[in-house]
Amino acid sequence: MRFDVISLFPEMISDAASYGVTGRAIERGLVGLSVWNPRDYTLDKHRTVDDRPYGGGPGMVMKCQPLLDAVDGAKQHNVLVNRKVICLSPQGRLLSQELLLDASRYDQLILVSGRYEGIDERFIQHACDEEWSLGDYVISGGELAALIVIDAVTRLIPGVLGDDESAKQDSHFDGLLDCPHYTRPEHSDIGDVPDVLLGGNHADIKRWRMKQALGRTWSRRPDMLEKVTLSAEQDALLKEFRTEVV
Ligand code: 4HQ
């Protein structure tokens, strides 16, 4: 997987991506990351990337030409054809694990991070395949959104996660929230570790974890539960959880 990010703040992307799982994936050559600054593609002596909005109003709008040329730079640097250009904006499709899993099958994702009030709509229509949104709130620039896409997609690339950090156990992987986790000490003044986890009966532990995952999803995110089909065993475990909680 190659990520190419179009951003006026390239260090924001390369610095943040250099930590932890993403940093290691880059070092190991499992993913490539380059950042393209539209300011480097400006043609005037002031290196102007924005201008006033037609029709008036507050704020500035990112100009098409530097963005178009930056995207071309990212495309020409690589001959990959199985690629997508994605603009991060609140007008986009809501990010989900499913959308990200889909994206992980591409060879190259070109992520456009805007600043200011927004981007000239003609660039979005002409150069972008999709618009994606983090959610219904406003952040100051698309960089944090692009970083979230990079992080979440990188975790899905085969070989990136070790066996014991496997993506299969994560929240959202099977459409359910994760079970609770505990580590030492067994007892403390803020509570004790559930007995079943100390017993070493792996079938019991597995069942307890599934029951907790189902119960937490039921109580905290009923919308998620509506989208999954439970097995007979899961159904029974959830019923157990519900009779214990009320
Ligand atoms: N932005 N999900 C960039 C967002 C946003 C979101 C606001 C994107 C400002 C210039 N991006 N513009 N929500 O709030 O992706």
Side-chain angles (χ1 to χ4, degrees):
M1 169 66 74
R2 268 207 65 79
F3 297 106
D4 291 277
V5 184
I6 315 298
S7 167
L8 288 169
F9 299 108
E11 290 80 14
M12 226 180 131
I13 304 291
S14 45
D15 289 354
S18 73
Y19 293 93
V21 170
T22 49
R24 260 187 318 275
I26 294 166
E27 275 171 21
R28 293 167 62 206
L30 293 168
V31 314
L33 172 63
S34 306
V35 196
W36 308 81
N37 190 342
R39 204 174 294 284
D40 295 336
Y41 293 87
T42 51
L43 304 168
D44 64 318
K45 77 162 193 265
H46 294 110
R47 313 222 301 156
T48 312
V49 292
D50 60 335
D51 207 340
R52 285 154 41 228
Y54 278 118
M60 299 291 271
V61 175
M62 288 184 82
K63 293 163 67 63
C64 287
Q65 175 269 320
L67 286 170
L68 289 169
D69 291 346
V71 169
D72 276 345
K75 284 183 176 173
Q76 277 161 28
H77 187 74
N78 269 276
V79 288
L80 302 172
V81 282
N82 185 19
R83 65 183 168 212
K84 238 184 169 85
V85 181
I86 298 153
C87 182
L88 289 314
S89 97
Q91 283 74 47
R93 282 174 71 181
L94 214 47
L95 268 192
S96 66
Q97 193 67 17
E98 195 190 2
L99 189 67
L100 293 161
L101 183 62
D102 224 51
S104 72
R105 308 189 204 285
Y106 285 84
D107 295 324
Q108 183 183 25
L109 295 178
I110 300 178
L111 303 169
V112 182
S113 299
R115 284 269 153 181
Y116 316 119
E117 286 306 298
I119 299 175
D120 189 310
E121 186 66 19
R122 292 168 295 182
F123 166 81
I124 298 167
Q125 292 304 321
H126 182 265
C128 300
D129 300 308
E130 294 192 19
E131 275 182 274
W132 289 1
S133 171
L134 285 187
D136 296 336
Y137 43 86
V138 180
I139 53 179
S140 309
E143 283 78 11
L144 289 171
L147 282 163
I148 284 169
V149 172
I150 291 168
D151 187 293
V153 169
T154 298
R155 302 172 58 78
L156 295 170
I157 293 166
V160 165
L161 294 186
D163 247 359
D164 45 286
E165 36 178 12
S166 171
K168 286 181 192 65
Q169 288 175 27
D170 283 353
S171 284
H172 294 290
F173 183 83
D174 48 10
L176 296 175
L177 296 180
D178 206 356
C179 63
H181 301 285
Y182 298 89
T183 187
R184 291 192 290 180
E186 249 176 78
H187 303 286
S188 84
D189 38 357
I190 58 166
D192 304 326
V193 176
D195 282 337
V196 60
L197 298 179
L198 308 170
N201 182 330
H202 294 292
D204 279 356
I205 291 171
K206 195 165 170 237
R207 240 178 291 115
W208 180 86
R209 285 181 169 156
M210 178 52 73
K211 183 167 152 185
Q212 295 300 315
L214 288 161
R216 277 151 56 116
T217 311
W218 168 71
S219 58
R220 300 177 191 198
R221 293 292 306 276
D223 58 304
M224 285 173 68
L225 214 46
E226 277 167 31
K227 291 176 200 143
V228 295
T229 351
L230 302 184
S231 69
E233 194 194 0
Q234 287 178 319
D235 213 59
L237 286 170
L238 179 55
K239 285 207 175 78
E240 258 181 54
F241 183 97
R242 291 169 63 170
T243 51
E244 284 164 21
V245 80
V246 284

